[in-house]
Amino acid sequence: MKPEDLKSPFREGERKVLIQDRVWYIPLKGLSESDPFRFPGWEDPALFGNSSPVYVEYCSGNGTWIAEKAAENPSINWVAVEKKFERVRKIWSKIKNLQLPNLIVISGEGLLTTERFFPQESVEAVYVNFPDPWPKKRHAKNRIIQPIFVQQIARILKPSGSLTLVTDSLEYSAQMIEVVNGSVDFSSYFPAPYYSEDVQNYGSSYFEQLWKEQGRIIRYHQFQKKIMEEACSF
């Protein structure tokens, strides 16, 4: 299958939530609170049809990294989240051509999708690989790694679940560390300075290959959701 074989299922101007042929469509704008769609659960046949662990990657790009992971780990359900439809098409093409029943792609924005649809404590691991660094100061507010996003990730992760962030931007790396270390929900796998420049068998993506060829430094950040102790009762 070629990426262009995936056609939008909607007429012009139509906006609704729909799961169809391994793609979960979530409108970027105009999503109504009255939309009748209700999340059916990861076990639903329209998604995975089983209760295997769920791993989510945000900013999946062309899907190289997550498709490789899905092929290597068939006992894990993988979810790619990508808001650009041209990239969604490429991920869908990989799902079809590599015959990956354990991978779906969400055509939507990460924070909105997570807030509206992902159930509490339903995900084992979250990855954000090379998110847009929005390098200009006035655009930094558009970065996905913000306190509200981290709060939502803590909500959907199971106890001891993991959050992995990867970037080639040293400025964004500093923000990632500040935001996640500032959360009461996470602790860093790595001691100060809270990142590693070498993680074995992590997997490769288009951007990782590109930036390494250009000699850029890549930082890997890994955090674990804390298990909160229940308050004592007498």
Side-chain angles (χ1 to χ4, degrees):
M1 304 291 285
K2 298 178 181 178
E4 54 267 29
D5 291 333
L6 178 65
K7 310 296 183 183
S8 172
F10 306 119
R11 296 187 296 271
E12 186 175 354
E14 187 178 15
R15 292 188 177 96
K16 63 180 179 180
V17 182
L18 175 69
I19 300 174
Q20 181 176 291
D21 196 19
R22 314 303 299 161
V23 182
W24 180 358
Y25 299 90
I26 300 174
L28 296 176
K29 295 180 181 179
L31 181 58
S32 171
E33 291 288 341
S34 62
D35 189 298
F37 178 88
R38 295 294 179 268
F39 180 68
W42 300 117
E43 301 88 354
D44 190 88
L47 294 171
F48 297 113
N50 61 63
S51 57
S52 296
V54 175
Y55 286 22
V56 179
E57 182 198 21
Y58 294 87
C59 309
S60 292
N62 295 340
T64 301
W65 182 87
I66 197 167
E68 177 184 296
K69 288 297 181 183
E72 291 175 350
N73 302 275
S75 62
I76 295 172
N77 291 328
W78 296 84
V79 180
V81 182
E82 175 55 53
K83 68 180 181 179
K84 293 186 177 180
F85 187 61
E86 291 307 310
R87 292 177 176 176
V88 169
R89 286 174 145 185
K90 293 177 180 179
I91 299 170
W92 174 84
S93 177
K94 290 179 174 67
I95 293 171
K96 293 295 186 175
N97 293 331
L98 298 174
Q99 299 181 34
L100 300 172
N102 62 325
L103 174 58
I104 65 167
V105 55
I106 294 176
S107 180
E109 192 276 327
L111 178 59
L112 171 65
T113 296
T114 306
E115 285 181 322
R116 286 287 297 270
F117 300 110
F118 287 5
Q120 183 171 335
E121 296 188 356
S122 65
V123 172
E124 297 277 357
V126 168
Y127 300 85
V128 187
N129 291 316
F130 300 100
D132 191 334
W134 293 94
K136 294 183 179 179
K137 236 175 207 185
R138 66 180 184 273
H139 294 153
K141 63 183 179 182
N142 295 318
R143 292 172 178 167
I144 191 170
I145 307 303
Q146 305 284 354
I148 188 171
F149 178 75
V150 172
Q151 289 169 10
Q152 285 298 314
I153 298 306
R155 181 185 65 80
I156 68 169
L157 278 175
K158 293 185 176 183
S160 298
S162 64
L163 168 63
T164 301
L165 310 175
V166 183
T167 184
D168 63 295
S169 167
L170 303 189
E171 180 186 348
Y172 203 173
S173 168
Q175 178 175 326
M176 290 172 171
I177 293 167
E178 179 182 1
V179 170
V180 186
N181 275 350
S183 167
V184 298
D185 296 301
F186 289 98
S187 58
S188 175
Y189 280 107
F190 300 124
Y194 309 113
Y195 63 83
S196 173
E197 294 177 4
D198 182 24
V199 174
Q200 296 299 312
N201 302 316
Y202 184 74
S204 183
S205 67
Y206 168 79
F207 285 112
E208 182 181 54
Q209 293 174 354
L210 178 64
W211 301 147
K212 282 185 174 180
E213 287 172 1
Q214 294 184 9
R216 297 195 192 184
I217 295 172
I218 295 174
R219 289 183 176 179
Y220 302 84
H221 316 75
Q222 294 182 319
F223 303 90
Q224 183 177 38
K225 180 179 175 180
K226 297 176 183 177
I227 300 177
M228 300 298 180
E229 294 184 5
E230 293 184 5
C232 295
S233 59
F234 298 92

